[in-house]
Amino acid sequence: MNKPDLIKQLQTILPADAVLFAQEDLKPFECDGLSAYRQVPMLVVLPETEAQVRDILLLCRREHVPVVARGAGTGLSGGALPLVDGVLLSLAKFKRIVSLDPLARIARVQPGVRNAAISEAAAAHGLYYAPDPSSQIACTIGGNVAENSGGVHCLKYGLTVHNVLKLRAYTMDGEMLELGSESLDAAGYDLLALFNGSEGMLGVIVEVTVKLLPKPELARVVMAAFASVAQAGAAVGEIIAAGIIPAGLEMMDKLSIHAAEDFVHAGYPLDAEAMLLCESDGTPEEVSEEIAKMEVILKRCGTTSLRTSANEADRLRLWAGRKAAFPAVGRISPDYYCMDGTIPRRELGRVLHRIAELSQEYGLRVANVFHAGDGNLHPLILYDANQPGEFHRAEEIGGKILELCVEVGGTITGEHGVGIEKINQMCAQFQEGELQLFRAVKQAFDPSGLLNPGKVIPTAHRCAEFGKQHVHHGQVAFPELPRF
Amino acid sequence: MQNLIEQYRQTVNAAVRDQSRLRIAGSGSKSFYGRATQGETLDVTAYRGIISYEPTELVITARAGTPLVEIEAALAERRQMLAFEPPHFGSGATLGGCIASGLSGPRRAYAGAVRDYVLGVRMMDGKGCVLNFGGQVMKNVAGYDVSRLLAGSLGTLGLLLDVSLKVLPVPAAEVTLRFEMNESDAITAMNRWAAQPLSLSATCYCDGVLTVRLSGASAAVRAVREKLGGESVENAAEFWRMVGEQQHEFFQTATPLWRLSVPPSTPMIAGKQLIEWGGALRWLVSDESAESLRALVAALGGQATLFRSAQAHDAPFHPLSPALLQVHRRLKNSFDPHGIFNVGRMYSEF
């Protein structure tokens, strides 16, 4: 079917203003949060009912047109990168909180509801939705499920997968699936777990039921400075060995401390090589007991300065620097490239040392922000896109860092997803056997392979090519997206 | 251990060649659960032992044949635990059976289920290939989350080899309180208390008594205890063990035992029951037909599983919708294309 015919067909399903095809209307959808990769889609559709979603999928399935679903477009791995010959299905109009049951502590929401809006709606009942990715004021719950988003509190409260009870989704074949349940068991395989983090490749999510938790009465944070990254890392291990699971446990290195301090003036220690933020939440009794224990451990581990938030305003100020770390780094460099590897925490010293060596070797600065409690490292590679070759060098050093994470027993992505960005590193993380099984899982839900094709799971051919690229890398920055 | 894996591979290859089936077996502690399955027994109890345990990383990796008691003892030595409190249902219960059955204990409603703690698995698929999914780190979104999918799959997707689990510290303090009240008030109390920061870690209602466990920092547990009142229970660890292991007198019956999973605030359901998980799990002893129970529970937004019964039942698990059944069949075919592992253990169709 040619494009004008497809538009005509879509206009029978959707109101005229919900089918976008003019170049200037398509342009805003050309990328997600990973703006280095851009592709204007063939068409954009903006359905607002489940029946419309189903009919769009059925039409595209029949006409063999690939579909990419998109939430708020804040993803950092290009998971919502459109296809030149594909339809981009935006869930932006699905922004209703369907119901909120304070007694059963659940909220049923449409996928386009912002993460923070759920907690705002639940606040009146003393409840909140726990996962808090730093983009939470903009990112939407459908995208959170697709990426299995984390946040700074997930060591204690879990990832998205731990906080979602039920999903309604449509497969590419237009079949509605209900996964999970409002009770705590569901019959059959745990397809709910499989859908979390599936990056829009198995189905289009149209409703999400989340678990709400009682809001802790109090939270306080301790900021501790260290003369070395290794010492700060050891202190994290000691806190956990003491039987404490802090609500948040974050580390920043010198470059990110300076960038954040210049930006928000949080009162960070500028002479420190590394800094920890350790948060405790719960009842006032629980918090004072835990904070006291952590202070003792941090002192024993050789902290050079220690500050505990005196009140809520103080606590928020201490967090402001950490939460603004990415934009802060954006102020000291024309561009930056954010990586997302996870490592066993004990390997931190070795990994940071190697990152420093790579930084020297490539002549690019790297700032490190670390969800220290769960081993999720965000190296921010500083570069200038206007300098020829710098983006390619940034991509290369990023790839090396991810392969390093795999080498020490970790993973290429902790919370941002594979998308299109890390598809080559999937060849380093997995063998062909696992990749084959991933392809088979995709086929079980989407036999036609038309839903978000070319993301996450590399083809065998691509991995073979990637093997060769290790020898002469840097030449393929925008490879075409293979179909499978 | 490599020899054992080689042996398993040969067994799998032989089954593929002969078009025969395999029945994966650990200690047999959960053989009552699910449908009976035919085939040559593939005993995996020899493949055992803890591979690594690092308390400061909060991760343990062990072979599937490792007895749960061995894992729990190693964790207890470092004051850590499996937070989902898996039921053993027998002294030889293995890690593999724990993951494959996907069953969790009293702490489930407050700390999460088995699958919430699975970080990675090494498994053998139905072609004899050894595959690795997930890993030993807390956060990992590379590829589909196959390791969590395997939790509760009853061995129908493949043979579990090694499993990595997140572990948690044992709470600094715990206290168990009992309150005499009627069933309806107990359901309301369990839900209302769960909506407040009260450090609940287990709840059980049976025979006019609501029993509640609080876990956390000593000061917090003390404060909540004063707030809630109630009467302190002596020998509480034994009480929760009896509930989790179904040795509590409620479970001593020859009548079929149903596991009704419902939204936690669901009002009272008629019949002889023990309620757990803040109201989300209702154990029902009943002779009623599967059809009528399932219709009742489905209308409430839940599912009914025939958990134990003297007579074998063809459909112990709540039926799947046609669309879901199709996905299940295709997934089974992806992992086990020749249909050799635990065929029919979950549903008769795959």
Side-chain angles (χ1 to χ4, degrees), chain A residues 101-105 125-127 147-148 150-151 154-156 159 161-162 164 171 173 175-194 196-199 201-202 211 214-217 237-238 240-241 243-245 283 285-286 289-290 293 340 342-347 371 373-374 376 378 409-418 426 429-430 433-434 436-447 456-457, chain B residues 54-58 78-80 102 108-109 112-113 115-117 123 125 127 129-146 148-149 151-154 156-157 166-170 172 187-188 190-199 215-220 222-224 227 259-265 277-278 280-281 301-303 317-321 323-324 326-332 334-335 346-347 350:
Chain A
D101 182 343
L103 186 62
R105 290 148 282 119
H125 309 285
L127 301 169
E147 301 296 325
N148 190 12
C154 50
L155 178 65
K156 184 168 176 180
L159 308 162
V161 67
H162 301 108
V164 168
T171 65
D173 295 332
E175 289 274 12
M176 196 270 283
L177 300 179
E178 287 208 334
L179 312 173
S181 154
E182 285 180 18
S183 66
L184 297 175
D185 294 318
Y189 295 146
D190 198 335
L191 303 182
L192 179 63
L194 195 62
N196 275 275
S198 62
E199 305 197 31
M201 296 182 65
L202 305 182
K211 184 164 98 177
K215 215 169 143 62
E217 283 173 67
E238 288 295 311
I240 287 168
I244 300 170
I245 301 292
T283 61
E285 299 85 1
E286 202 169 4
E289 189 175 315
E290 219 169 72
K293 275 190 195 165
D340 169 46
T342 305
I343 54 171
R345 216 180 320 92
R346 61 179 180 276
E347 300 288 350
H371 298 304
D374 38 36
N376 190 194
H378 292 311
T411 171
I412 57 170
T413 173
E415 57 184 359
H416 294 172
V418 174
M426 285 291 280
Q429 178 98 57
F430 295 102
E434 287 91 17
Q436 262 179 27
L437 190 75
F438 287 150
R439 289 181 208 119
V441 167
K442 159 95 173 139
Q443 264 190 0
F445 289 87
D446 176 20
V456 186
I457 319 298
Chain B
E54 300 192 42
T56 62
E57 301 278 342
L58 299 175
R78 308 299 297 264
R79 287 199 54 77
Q80 294 189 336
R108 179 342 174 186
R115 64 89 124 152
D116 293 316
Y117 289 88
M123 63 169 290
D125 70 7
K127 294 182 285 190
C129 296
V130 173
L131 304 172
N132 282 285
F133 298 101
Q136 297 181 300
V137 290
M138 300 291 154
K139 285 164 92 177
N140 184 353
V141 292
Y144 302 123
D145 200 342
V146 170
R148 290 190 212 279
L149 173 71
S153 63
L154 288 173
T156 57
L157 296 177
K166 177 180 176 178
V167 299
L168 283 182
V170 172
I187 292 168
T188 307
M190 285 189 272
N191 279 281
R192 286 183 43 196
W193 289 347
Q196 300 167 45
L198 295 178
S199 316
S215 305
S218 324
R222 214 167 28 241
V224 176
K227 187 170 170 179
R259 176 187 174 97
L260 312 184
S261 289
V262 291
S265 57
W277 297 4
L281 180 56
Q303 313 88 42
F317 296 108
H318 205 87
L320 300 170
S321 70
L324 276 180
Q326 185 181 39
V327 170
H328 276 72
R329 276 175 157 152
R330 288 183 187 153
L331 278 174
K332 165 76 175 169
S334 305
F335 283 83
M346 190 183 263
Y347 291 95
F350 58 90

Side-chain angles (χ1 to χ4, degrees), chain B residues 60-110:
Chain B
I60 191 165
T61 302
R63 298 186 184 92
T66 313
L68 274 180
V69 285
E70 190 178 321
I71 290 169
E72 288 171 340
L75 296 176
E77 227 169 83
R78 308 299 297 264
R79 287 199 54 77
Q80 294 189 336
M81 63 177 187
L82 297 176
F84 51 93
E85 291 185 329
H88 292 212
F89 297 140
S91 56
T94 61
L95 174 63
C98 160
I99 304 301
S101 68
L103 296 170
S104 307
R107 210 178 291 266
R108 179 342 174 186
Y110 311 95

Side-chain angles (χ1 to χ4, degrees), chain B residues 1-9 24-27 42-52 61-68 70-71 92-97 120-124 130-132 159-164:
Chain B
M1 291 295 159
Q2 199 50 45
N3 289 348
L4 275 176
I5 294 179
E6 197 41 50
Q7 258 180 46
Y8 299 151
R9 194 201 314 273
I24 303 170
S27 75
L42 177 55
D43 184 331
V44 292
T45 49
Y47 188 74
R48 59 184 282 178
I50 294 170
I51 298 168
S52 68
T61 302
R63 298 186 184 92
T66 313
L68 274 180
E70 190 178 321
I71 290 169
T94 61
L95 174 63
V121 299
R122 191 154 78 109
M123 63 169 290
M124 186 177 289
V130 173
L131 304 172
N132 282 285
L159 177 64
L160 288 171
L161 294 171
D162 308 332
V163 181
S164 295

